[in-house]
Structure formats: C-alpha cells, structure tokens
Amino acid sequence: MALMSKDLLGIKQLTKEEIELILHSAKTMREIVDRPVKKLPTLRGRAMINLFYEASTRTRTSFELAGKYLGADTVNIATSSSSVVKGETLLDTGKTLEAMGVNTIVIRHPLAGAPHLLAKNLSVSIINAGDGTHEHPTQALLDMFTMVEKKGPLDKLTVAIVGDILHSRVARSNIWGLTKMGAEVRLAGPPTLLPKTPFEQMGVSCFYRAEEAIEGADVVMVLRLQRERQEKGLLPSLREYAKYYCVDEARIKLAKPDALVMHPGPMNRGVEISSQLADGVQSVIDEQVTNGVAVRMALLYLLSGGEQKDETAH
C-alpha cells in the first residue's frame, strides 16, 4: 500500500489506512534515528525545499534532518531573504522552485489553504508544515505515533487537549486524526478560546473547566497559549489563564496515574504547563521531538513513491 496523493495537505484528507501506514513506516524510521550512523541512500538524487513563511525550530529542522538522513538534498529558504520581499507571489515562488527540479516542497504559511494552492498548480509533492489556524498534519502524526508507542492502540485511549483550541492548527489536526482512529477526545479552554458548536460537530467533548477534561484521561496534551491573543482582549491576563488552565501537578493527578503529558512546543512554562510537569517522568515532550524526525522521514519516503519495505531497515 502507498499513499493515494502526491501531497500531504491535512489529516482530514487521509484515510484510517493511510494513517496506519505512516505510523507503521515511522516505526522503522525511528529505529534508524536511534542508530549512531543515520545516513541512508533511500532518497539520493531527490531535492527537498523547506519554504517557511513563519518562524519554526522543531518542524523546519526535523524536516531538514529527515531529508538528510534519507540521502535527499535539502535546502532551507528564509522568505525574508528571498524574492518574496520583492513582491513575488506564492505561486510564482512555487513555480520557480519546480522549474529548478525540486521533488518536494515543505511549506509553512500564515494563510490557511496556501499548501493547497501549490498542490493544485504544481506537479511536485507538497507537504503542509502548518497553514494558518487550519492544520498541522505532521505534528498530529508524530503525536499519534508517540501515543501508540507508549500506550498502544489509539481506539483504547482518552485524550484531553487543553488550551487555546480556537487558534490551534495542532488541535484541529489531532482532532481529525484521533477521532478517525477511534480515540475519545476532550477539549478544555476558556469560552473565548473554545467555541463549542464547531468543535462538537467534529465529534469531541468540550469543557470550560480543565479538570473535567483531564479526569481519567490517558493522555493530556497541552497547547501553547499564543500570547498575542491576550492583546486582542480574549483573556483577562496570563495570570488568570494560568490559574484556571495551567496543567500542573495538582491537575495531572486527576488523569490516570500513568497518563502521558504532551506539548507541541514551544512552551510557555508557568502559563500553560508547569516546569515540574514538563520535565517530569510523565512527560514525553522530548520523545515527541525525536518522533517528529521519524514521522517526517516516513512521509518523505512514502510520498516519493516508496512503500514499506524490509530493505529500508538494513
């Protein structure tokens, strides 16, 4: 089995079987990431561009490493030093890169639908590394992979997602993926950051008290509070938010004793998550970062036309 599309634009478009294929492939790739020598010739001769219109550490770097570990030639483009500052359109930038013989473009863009525009007009593979507040599919895939590795089948899990749900592309991708795989998903956040109707229509439960969502959960995923939301009057203050929604030792005790603590990063310590919890024994935050490389390796491999084969592990 291979992926049905040349692109990865969102979790919503993937079938359950495709998600399972990616997670299965990532298991092999994780073994490669753990090796002292990681270089493979799998994608030798293929070129990948990281085209990021927004700042990123984890996603951009892990895509770059994923490409290099598989033998691809990887190039990072900072839009601040590209023709974008001269007024070049996104589509023209994409067509220019395609004309150079690039095989894959990984794009992060502040506007929802930007990767879809490129995918529709270019023949190269497009991977969505985050578009506006719409989706962040590879983050959801690495989150699901981490859960499976630590907890087993997703359809047995209850996952609580706490924080700024409204503006989170991570939350949306995880909701699509987890519900598709059969997990129970609970959301918690202040009313200004969690409009119930649209999210409940996605098949999840919504709570305004973090404690209600966390109680009995197998996984507690904490979202970054985007500080710019405070400037828009959506929050009284960071202190007020932390009082009611910071996931700390007291709140995590409501979850199952062996519950995982997750965060996509970067973290605002003391605001949405306590330092003790972020660095504690239940935290798999560093594991998420490592798994991000493995999942992105799996995607690059599968989108290049490869299927899961034994020789990849040799």
Side-chain angles (χ1 to χ4, degrees):
M1 178 183 172
L3 298 179
M4 290 188 286
S5 173
K6 70 177 179 67
D7 312 299
L8 178 72
L9 302 178
I11 297 294
K12 188 176 180 180
Q13 291 88 354
L14 292 177
T15 65
K16 181 180 178 181
E17 291 72 26
E18 286 180 301
I19 293 174
E20 289 172 342
L21 173 65
I22 294 167
L23 300 185
H24 179 69
S25 301
K27 189 171 184 178
T28 300
M29 297 303 177
R30 175 59 202 255
E31 294 170 2
I32 295 167
V33 173
D34 290 336
R35 294 177 184 175
V37 178
K38 302 169 176 62
K39 199 79 170 179
L40 292 173
T42 311
L43 298 183
R44 185 189 299 159
R46 299 183 68 86
M48 181 186 89
I49 297 284
N50 279 327
L51 180 62
F52 277 56
Y53 287 75
E54 291 181 320
S56 171
T57 299
R58 292 157 190 78
T59 305
R60 184 189 60 77
T61 305
S62 63
F63 264 116
E64 182 180 5
L65 288 173
K68 287 182 174 178
Y69 289 166
L70 290 174
D73 295 310
T74 63
V75 177
N76 295 312
I77 295 182
T79 55
S80 60
S81 59
S82 72
S83 293
V84 170
V85 297
K86 300 178 181 179
E88 184 173 68
T89 68
L90 171 63
L91 191 52
D92 283 341
T93 298
K95 287 181 176 179
T96 298
L97 297 176
E98 182 178 48
M100 293 179 181
V102 168
N103 302 102
T104 305
I105 298 175
V106 180
I107 178 171
R108 170 169 287 186
H109 201 282
L111 296 180
H116 304 68
L117 175 68
L118 290 185
K120 184 179 178 181
N121 290 279
L122 304 180
S123 61
V124 303
S125 286
I126 305 297
I127 298 178
N128 181 1
D131 62 327
T133 59
H134 178 228
E135 277 219 48
H136 192 352
T138 59
Q139 180 67 46
L141 288 165
L142 74 88
D143 290 340
M144 288 189 285
F145 179 69
T146 303
M147 293 178 208
V148 169
E149 290 291 283
K150 295 292 184 179
K151 290 290 186 182
L154 293 169
D155 61 4
K156 308 291 186 185
L157 302 182
T158 297
V159 181
I161 305 177
V162 182
D164 182 0
I165 309 294
L166 178 62
H167 302 99
S168 176
R169 54 195 174 203
V170 173
R172 281 175 178 79
S173 286
N174 267 294
I175 291 168
W176 288 121
L178 289 167
T179 55
K180 198 168 288 190
M181 302 306 289
E184 178 191 347
V185 180
R186 304 172 184 169
L187 309 179
T192 52
L193 301 179
L194 179 54
K196 283 192 174 182
T197 302
F199 288 104
E200 287 179 339
Q201 290 175 348
M202 296 172 73
V204 302
S205 303
C206 298
F207 302 93
Y208 294 142
R209 293 184 67 248
E211 291 82 357
E212 291 183 80
I214 293 172
E215 188 171 3
D218 299 285
V219 179
V220 179
M221 183 181 299
V222 187
L223 300 176
R224 180 178 73 89
L225 180 66
Q226 301 177 42
R227 291 172 181 260
E228 58 270 25
R229 308 306 169 200
Q230 187 185 357
E231 298 171 7
K232 294 182 179 180
L234 297 177
L235 296 170
S237 67
L238 293 179
R239 179 179 293 181
E240 184 85 356
Y241 179 88
K243 179 180 178 181
Y244 293 104
Y245 295 100
C246 180
V247 180
D248 55 17
E249 294 79 359
R251 289 194 169 102
I252 201 64
K253 286 179 181 177
L254 297 170
K256 290 183 180 175
D258 59 348
L260 303 181
V261 174
M262 305 180 73
H263 194 301
M267 293 182 283
N268 295 305
R269 290 172 179 260
V271 177
E272 72 253 1
I273 188 170
S274 69
S275 284
Q276 292 88 341
L277 206 59
D279 300 328
V281 295
Q282 291 174 267
S283 171
V284 290
I285 296 171
D286 288 341
E287 192 91 0
Q288 288 175 265
V289 176
T290 306
N291 288 340
V293 179
V295 164
R296 287 160 181 141
M297 287 172 69
L299 279 169
L300 291 173
Y301 175 61
L302 292 169
L303 288 173
S304 72
E307 297 182 40
Q308 187 63 28
K309 298 176 183 177
D310 292 339
E311 59 262 28
T312 310
H314 298 318

